[in-house]
């Protein structure tokens, strides 16, 4: 959860932008050529900054007036754009060699962008399929209702999404610093036909954030309040959405504000616990470091499995569960006294990978071989998921970034304003949460989420 935050990078001076229809680049020899970074085709449209939109997930400034003019860079080889049969595609290739030569900031995507799919590696083509699409399902200017969780329940064909922090003037809302979080429930009848309503938990407002499928319902990360404990809550997927607390302390010490959660094949629940609730004024001073935990509901066993993070955030397993991915969004933090957001580009905007090893005597899993998997070049990597092929997806400041299992960036799905989180549906369907906008992405039917495999 990142709210409310400032843009993630300093604004660039206004520049004139050259626009091309790009295709597979042609390699030519040149003693002193121009290194081109791919620019977007199509017309520009004015967009508001993330602060003007009231978005919490940080993204780079979206000044449509900002454009770029290639600068001459000496090079032995240069990639130049050509017009050919790829001109009508809604994706474009990124030339890594010329990208490395020219260090100007790439223009941000716009809503009318005709080619939102960036191809960094040909393997991304098989994931997006021959006709990928990006469309807005809901555009609600009232509030940022589409922020986190993203739990699709196949039996009821429903999608649950948690909002960003919303104002709550109620007198009893002082324990949450006069903030609240709303859970939206969408029931789908077809990919574009659905009903929308709010989930009203009978017991209390848990300030829910991340979530995942669990048994016949879902687990939500309850960030708690100044009075209510933070922890994990089980919620039934069907009305009236009854809830019960699964965990609310670590050996009598209160959690900070659990952020994201995933359930392993053995039923163990893994979750992150940053201090964002304290920074936004609705949680007490932290009593624990910012850990990653493993909880076994059947036995009540709770263990710290990883530490040393700035702000542990998203969490996901590789399909074979031999690797665990954890995002660190430390580059975004807030002042506990004022809640004012800060962006520090020298802090982590990183995905870490861990290997899982099991103790021979007890078979208890341990995380070993911590390593940097990827660093986001736009914003921070917030929510994270894997597909059935082992590719890693993360919500970043420019949309959804995709890496293969070796940490190579293979593609991007550019989304205006960035994405905090997202969720796989059926047969290549993916919903992306852009705060006040809910986006639907259609990829190749074989591109399925590793969690549900549908």
């Amino acid at each position: 959860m990142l709210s409310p935050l400032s843009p993630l990078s300093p604004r660039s001076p206004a520049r004139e932008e050259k626009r091309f229809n790009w295709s597979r680049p042609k390699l030519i020899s040149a003693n002193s050529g121009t290194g081109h970074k791919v620019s977007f085709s199509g017309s520009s449209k004015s967009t508001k900054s993330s602060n003007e939109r009231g978005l919490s997930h940080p993204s780079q400034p979206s000044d449509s007036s900002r454009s770029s003019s290639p600068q001459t860079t000496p090079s032995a080889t240069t990639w130049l754009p050509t017009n050919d049969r790829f001109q009508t595609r809604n994706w474009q290739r990124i030339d890594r060699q010329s990208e490395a030569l020219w260090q100007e900031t790439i223009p941000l995507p716009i809503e009318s962008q005709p080619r939102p799919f960036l191809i960094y590696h040909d393997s991304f083509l098989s994931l997006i399929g021959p006709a990928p699409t990006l469309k807005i399902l809901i555009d609600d200017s009232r509030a940022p209702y589409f922020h986190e969780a993203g739990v699709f329940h196949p039996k009821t064909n429903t999608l649950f999404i948690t909002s960003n922090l919303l104002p709550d003037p109620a007198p009893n809302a002082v324990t949450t610093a006069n903030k609240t979080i709303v859970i939206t429930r969408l029931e789908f009848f077809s990919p574009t036909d659905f009903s929308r309503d709010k989930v009203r938990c009978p017991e209390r407002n848990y300030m829910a954030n991340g979530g995942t499928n669990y048994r016949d319902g879902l687990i939500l990360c309850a960030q708690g309040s100044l009075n209510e404990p933070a922890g994990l809550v089980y919620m039934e997927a069907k009305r009236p959405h009854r809830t019960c607390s699964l965990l609310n302390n670590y050996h009598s010490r209160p959690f900070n504000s659990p952020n994201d959660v995933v359930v392993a094949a053995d039923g163990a629940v893994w979750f992150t616990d940053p201090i964002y609730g304290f920074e936004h004024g609705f949680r007490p001073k932290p009593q624990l470091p910012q850990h990653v935990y493993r909880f076994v509901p059947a036995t009540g066993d709770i263990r710290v499995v990883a530490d040393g993070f700035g702000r542990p955030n998203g969490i996901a397993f590789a399909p074979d569960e031999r690797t665990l991915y954890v995002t660190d969004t430390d580059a975004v933090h807030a002042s506990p006294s004022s809640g004012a957001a800060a962006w520090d580009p020298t802090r982590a905007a990183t995905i870490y990978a861990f290997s899982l090893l099991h103790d021979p005597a007890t078979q208890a899993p341990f995380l070993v071989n911590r390593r940097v998997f990827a660093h986001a070049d736009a914003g921070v990597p917030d929510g994270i998921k894997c597909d059935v092929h082992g590719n890693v997806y993360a919500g970043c400041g420019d949309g959804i970034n995709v890496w293969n299992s070796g940490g190579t960036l293979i593609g991007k799905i550019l989304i205006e304003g960035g994405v905090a989180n997202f969720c796989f549906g059926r047969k290549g369907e993916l919903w992306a949460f852009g705060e006040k906008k809910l986006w639907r992405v259609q990829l190749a039917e074989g591109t399925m989420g590793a969690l549900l495999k549908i």
Side-chain angles (χ1 to χ4, degrees), residues 1-5 56-58 147 164 276 280 313 329 332 380 382:
M1 175 180 178
L2 308 170
S3 163
L5 301 171
S56 72
H57 182 70
H147 179 60
N164 209 321
Y276 282 122
H280 293 299
N313 200 313
T329 53
V332 174
V380 293
D382 194 331

Side-chain angles (χ1 to χ4, degrees), residues 6 90 129 134 149 166 188 202 216 241-242 281 301 311 330 362 405 450:
S6 58
N90 65 346
L134 171 65
L166 307 176
F188 285 89
D216 199 32
H241 304 297
R242 291 176 297 184
D301 179 52
R311 300 289 187 279
D330 192 36
T362 64
S405 58

Side-chain angles (χ1 to χ4, degrees), residues 390-404:
N391 300 297
V392 180
Y393 301 62
C396 298
D398 55 355
I400 298 174
N401 292 193
V402 185
W403 296 264
N404 64 20

Side-chain angles (χ1 to χ4, degrees), residues 201-204 206 214-215 217-222 229 231-237 240-248 295 297:
C201 296
E203 289 82 7
R204 59 180 66 88
Y206 289 105
Y214 184 69
R215 296 183 178 175
L218 54 154
I219 289 179
L220 294 171
C221 290
L232 301 177
V233 170
Y234 174 78
M235 185 179 81
E236 294 178 348
H241 304 297
R242 291 176 297 184
T243 60
C244 67
S245 177
L246 298 178
L247 176 71
N248 62 18
F295 170 59

